Amino acid sequence: QVQLVESGGGLVQAGGSLRLSCAASGRTLSGYAMGWFRQAPGKERAFVAGIRWSGATTQYADSVKGRFTISRDNAKNTLYLQMNSLKSEDTAVYYCATRLGPIATIWENYRYWGQGTQVTVSS
């Protein structure tokens, strides 16, 4: 069992930055992949970024490449998403998730989820 708790969401102006955190507990994450997803009202939950807990592999959605950076701190068992140059279309609830195995871009492939944190970008 893995517990995930997100934090760091909020209201920011377009062009600004936010850093989301996801604290993991319950077991070691060696061999796991971590992902950030987001869901805007009326839309499907969408992949944003993923990372292997080993840190050797990362993957990004085209819409966030060059603006968002995913990282993790093994010592703190925490996942991060640094979001720069935010746009109004980045407004959504952001979730972290984890699965045993490689990064996946389909949300149904992830077993454990956090409760989500709201990010609102004003234009």
Side-chain angles (χ1 to χ4, degrees), residues 5-12 16-22 36 67-73 76 78-86 94 117-119:
V5 179
E6 302 99 334
S7 61
L11 174 64
V12 64
S17 298
L18 279 176
R19 188 177 80 157
L20 305 184
S21 300
C22 173
W36 284 101
R67 300 189 298 124
F68 291 11
T69 302
I70 190 170
S71 63
R72 88 281 177 263
D73 184 326
K76 295 182 179 180
T78 300
L79 176 73
Y80 301 100
L81 185 68
Q82 178 67 44
M83 305 186 295
N84 298 328
S85 302
L86 282 161
Y94 283 71
T117 185
Q118 177 70 47
V119 171

Side-chain angles (χ1 to χ4, degrees), residues 9-120:
L11 174 64
V12 64
Q13 288 189 330
S17 298
L18 279 176
R19 188 177 80 157
L20 305 184
S21 300
C22 173
S25 62
R27 63 159 296 141
T28 179
L29 295 175
S30 175
Y32 278 67
M34 305 291 294
W36 284 101
F37 288 77
R38 65 187 181 187
Q39 188 166 18
K43 293 190 176 181
E44 285 272 313
R45 191 167 296 191
F47 175 78
V48 175
I51 188 169
R52 288 300 304 271
W53 195 250
S54 66
T57 305
T58 59
Q59 188 173 346
Y60 295 91
D62 288 343
S63 58
V64 307
K65 278 180 184 176
R67 300 189 298 124
F68 291 11
T69 302
I70 190 170
S71 63
R72 88 281 177 263
D73 184 326
N74 286 350
K76 295 182 179 180
N77 238 28
T78 300
L79 176 73
Y80 301 100
L81 185 68
Q82 178 67 44
M83 305 186 295
N84 298 328
S85 302
L86 282 161
K87 306 175 182 179
S88 57
E89 51 263 45
D90 295 317
T91 295
V93 177
Y94 283 71
Y95 299 90
C96 68
T98 188
R99 67 185 298 266
L100 182 62
I103 298 168
T105 60
I106 307 299
W107 72 266
E108 291 95 335
N109 289 337
Y110 285 77
R111 181 174 181 182
Y112 300 105
W113 290 84
Q115 83 287 353
T117 185
Q118 177 70 47
V119 171
T120 303

